[in-house]
């Protein structure tokens, strides 16, 4: 069988075809630099620089890029699971919602690049039977600092006599990939 004049178009059925909606969302995880500007920070060249003790502001924006409403959307952060996690009951096509939170950088973190990643899941829609496509999104920072260690010769706790020379050695070790201005002073009491 063919349609008049088009022998390559064979008609096999006239039944209606139903195609399910495509369900998807994007996550945009951003980090706020010290100057107040927001960075996508997916690449090391865009990582803002922070120091130990700083508080970092993060923002995750979820945008429904699909054709149907997403339900029970859960977003997680791999390095800050409590503050970075949030829930959205429903998100219609084209809609977006944002969540902001902070992370204080303590000495437990290694120096250098620190990347944490937001990921999301949502209920599988009944009409498609396929879980929504929601790619994860990382955001990184450069964490800089230095470590200072002081030693004495003779060693601390050793008896010294008047006129004896005590040699102090101060070692400053860079922690991180970006330059850190090191300042050191010592009153020799410790």
């Amino acid at each position: 069988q063919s349609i008049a004049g088009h022998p390559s178009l064979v008609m096999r059925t006239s039944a209606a075809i139903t195609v399910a909606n495509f369900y998807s969302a994007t996550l945009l995880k951003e980090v706020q630099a010290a100057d107040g500007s927001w960075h996508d920070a997916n690449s090391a060249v865009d990582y803002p620089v922070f120091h130990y003790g700083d508080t970092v502001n993060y923002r995750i924006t979820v945008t429904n890029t699909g054709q149907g409403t997403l339900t029970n959307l859960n977003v997680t952060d791999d390095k800050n699971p409590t503050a970075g996690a949030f829930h959205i009951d429903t998100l219609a096509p084209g809609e977006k919602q944002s969540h902001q939170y902070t992370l204080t950088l303590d000495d437990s973190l290694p120096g250098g690049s620190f990347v944490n990643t937001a990921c999301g899941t949502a209920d599988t829609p009944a009409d498609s039977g396929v879980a929504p496509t929601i790619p994860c999104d990382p955001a990184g920072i450069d964490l800089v600092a230095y470590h200072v260690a002081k030693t004495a010769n003779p060693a601390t706790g050793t008896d010294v006599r008047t006129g004896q020379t005590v040699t102090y050695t101060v070692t400053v070790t860079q922690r991180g990939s970006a330059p850190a201005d090191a300042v050191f002073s010592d009153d020799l009491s410790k």
Side-chain angles (χ1 to χ4, degrees):
Q1 299 175 6
S2 66
I3 297 176
H6 298 284
S8 61
L9 298 175
V10 177
M11 179 170 253
R12 303 238 182 242
T13 182
S14 60
I17 297 174
T18 303
V19 177
N21 287 324
F22 178 72
Y23 293 85
S24 64
T26 59
L27 299 177
L28 174 61
K29 181 165 186 176
E30 300 171 286
V31 60
Q32 189 176 33
D35 66 3
S37 62
W38 287 96
H39 295 253
D40 189 13
N42 280 311
S43 158
V45 298
D46 195 33
Y47 291 178
V49 176
F50 291 93
H51 299 87
Y52 289 96
D54 288 349
T55 298
V56 181
N57 295 311
Y58 287 99
R59 175 173 63 198
I60 301 172
T61 302
V62 183
T63 304
N64 185 337
T65 56
Q67 300 165 320
T69 298
L70 296 172
T71 58
N72 291 319
L73 190 86
N74 291 300
V75 178
T76 60
D77 180 316
D78 67 337
K79 300 286 194 313
N80 200 347
T82 303
F86 63 103
H87 177 82
I88 301 171
D89 289 331
T90 61
L91 193 64
E95 283 188 336
K96 60 176 67 175
Q97 282 192 25
S98 294
H99 172 70
Q100 290 187 21
Y101 61 99
T102 61
L103 173 66
T104 301
L105 305 172
D106 61 32
D107 283 336
S108 68
L109 301 171
S113 296
F114 176 78
V115 178
N116 57 350
T117 303
C119 293
T121 60
D123 285 350
T124 298
D127 68 334
S128 75
V130 177
T133 301
I134 309 173
C136 296
D137 191 43
I141 63 171
D142 275 327
L143 184 55
V144 299
Y146 56 89
H147 175 72
V148 177
K150 182 175 92 172
T151 59
N153 183 12
T156 302
T158 303
D159 290 332
V160 292
R161 296 181 305 268
T162 302
Q164 184 177 355
T165 301
V166 177
T167 303
Y168 293 97
T169 302
V170 177
T171 304
V172 179
T173 305
Q174 169 75 17
R175 289 177 70 190
S177 53
D181 295 329
V183 177
F184 178 78
S185 64
D186 191 349
D187 64 5
L188 301 179
S189 66
K190 296 180 186 176

